Amino acid sequence: MRSGFAALVGRPNVGKSTLLNAILGTKVSIVSDKPQTTRTRVVGVLNGPDSQVVFVDTPGFHKPRGPLGRHLNETAVDAAGGVDVVVQVVDAAGGIGRGDRYVAATLSPGMVVVNKIDVVGRDAVLPTLAEAAELGVPDPWPLSARTGQGVPELVAALRERMHPGPRYYPEDTVTDVPEAFWVAELVREQLLAVTREEVPHSIACRVTEWEWPRVRCEILVERESQKGIVIGRGGAVLKEVGTAVRAQLPAGAYVELFVKVDRDWARDRRRLELLGY
């Protein structure tokens, strides 16, 4: 029996959450094309007959502009500490930049994954692979989290890096994300898909009532003008979001969405803690 922990780290939007979902074969982390989609440490557990790899998805490492940004970076640093291997994910389409080098210097990866090779093509990815080797880790892994190309080979390599040990989670565990937090994240994911500009970064979601199958979810925004955008004309945005969330929940689920203005919640450390960040 081999077991251990692997942290997925990297800049925002390099595909860490998509990679985790691809590895597990199920969705445990929300995905979006917006930066700072992942705001907390998300655990995904991959069980095999003689192995268990516990993956830790982390917020994108970036230059922070406030308490929330600093907290996200701290979460990534904490998650990378004490694991068996730190896996840095970089974007094949974007090449290796200063941000990637800063992540490597700060978090000391043991493996580097070059993601999104399906976007750039085989020949175009070669320069990025050469640059990735300069991050201090030889033999970077090219793959596509979206198509699954190269993912089984990465998983096999990670299993080999685990040490003899016990299962840290029961064999039927896939994630440790609480159900209420997961529903709130699904709501935020859908709002990220339909809102633009500064609004996505000003949204937080929390479940305030859980009487299954009825769930009440509160959507926080920072300004009154954002409240109208999130609700939509005649409630159209909330209706669209609620429909998309229910489609991902067990049959019969009823999700009530309410929007509340909580000015500058992202700049208040105490309120960040209350939201689970």
Side-chain angles (χ1 to χ4, degrees):
M1 182 68 194
R2 304 174 74 88
S3 61
F5 293 77
L8 303 178
V9 304
R11 293 183 297 106
N13 290 115
V14 294
K16 299 180 296 298
S17 297
T18 303
L19 177 58
L20 176 60
N21 294 340
I23 288 171
L24 299 178
T26 190
K27 182 176 178 180
V28 300
S29 191
I30 65 170
V31 295
S32 164
D33 60 357
K34 307 292 194 306
Q36 300 180 17
T37 298
T38 301
R39 290 178 174 171
T40 61
R41 170 183 174 275
V42 177
V43 167
V45 184
L46 182 66
N47 287 292
D50 56 359
S51 67
Q52 183 180 81
V53 184
V54 182
F55 291 90
V56 184
D57 188 15
T58 66
F61 208 70
H62 65 291
K63 185 177 181 179
R65 297 182 179 178
L68 177 59
R70 289 193 291 272
H71 170 73
L72 298 183
N73 280 357
E74 290 167 4
T75 299
V77 171
D78 290 345
V83 299
D84 296 279
V85 58
V86 175
V87 181
Q88 181 176 351
V89 183
V90 301
D91 185 346
I96 306 300
R98 287 186 299 175
D100 299 298
R101 294 185 178 90
Y102 183 68
V103 171
T106 305
L107 302 181
S108 302
M111 297 180 72
V112 173
V113 165
V114 179
N115 187 26
K116 305 184 185 180
I117 62 172
D118 58 305
V119 176
V120 300
R122 180 180 179 87
D123 294 335
V125 78
L126 295 178
T128 304
L129 289 172
E131 291 177 356
E134 297 174 4
L135 296 177
V137 180
D139 303 321
W141 290 80
L143 58 75
S144 169
R146 187 179 68 86
T147 67
Q149 181 183 357
V151 173
E153 291 81 1
L154 174 67
V155 169
L158 284 168
R159 281 184 169 134
E160 288 298 316
R161 293 199 177 209
M162 299 299 105
H163 304 287
R167 294 186 188 275
Y168 294 96
Y169 289 86
E171 197 167 355
D172 59 351
T173 299
V174 179
T175 183
D176 66 352
V177 176
E179 284 185 282
F181 185 80
W182 177 238
V183 172
E185 284 289 89
L186 289 177
V187 172
R188 188 166 66 87
E189 178 185 47
Q190 295 306 314
L191 287 169
L192 290 174
V194 298
T195 56
R196 296 290 182 267
E197 298 177 359
E198 85 288 350
V199 178
H201 304 294
S202 296
I203 292 174
C205 301
R206 62 185 177 190
V207 168
T208 55
E209 293 181 26
W210 183 280
E211 297 178 2
W212 190 260
R214 176 183 169 274
V215 180
R216 186 185 194 276
C217 184
E218 195 170 68
I219 301 164
L220 302 182
V221 294
E222 294 186 281
R223 291 186 289 279
E224 196 69 38
S225 60
Q226 296 169 342
K227 182 176 180 179
I229 294 173
V230 169
I231 293 173
R233 180 173 295 182
V237 172
L238 287 187
K239 182 178 180 180
E240 178 183 350
V241 168
T243 300
V245 170
R246 285 193 297 273
Q248 300 181 68
L249 298 175
Y254 179 69
V255 182
E256 296 179 317
L257 302 177
F258 296 86
V259 185
K260 175 182 176 182
V261 177
D262 187 352
R263 297 190 183 280
D264 299 326
W265 64 263
R267 296 173 177 81
D268 188 312
R269 198 64 184 239
R270 182 183 63 83
R271 280 183 279 184
L272 289 174
E273 292 176 357
L274 290 174
L275 289 166
Y277 298 148

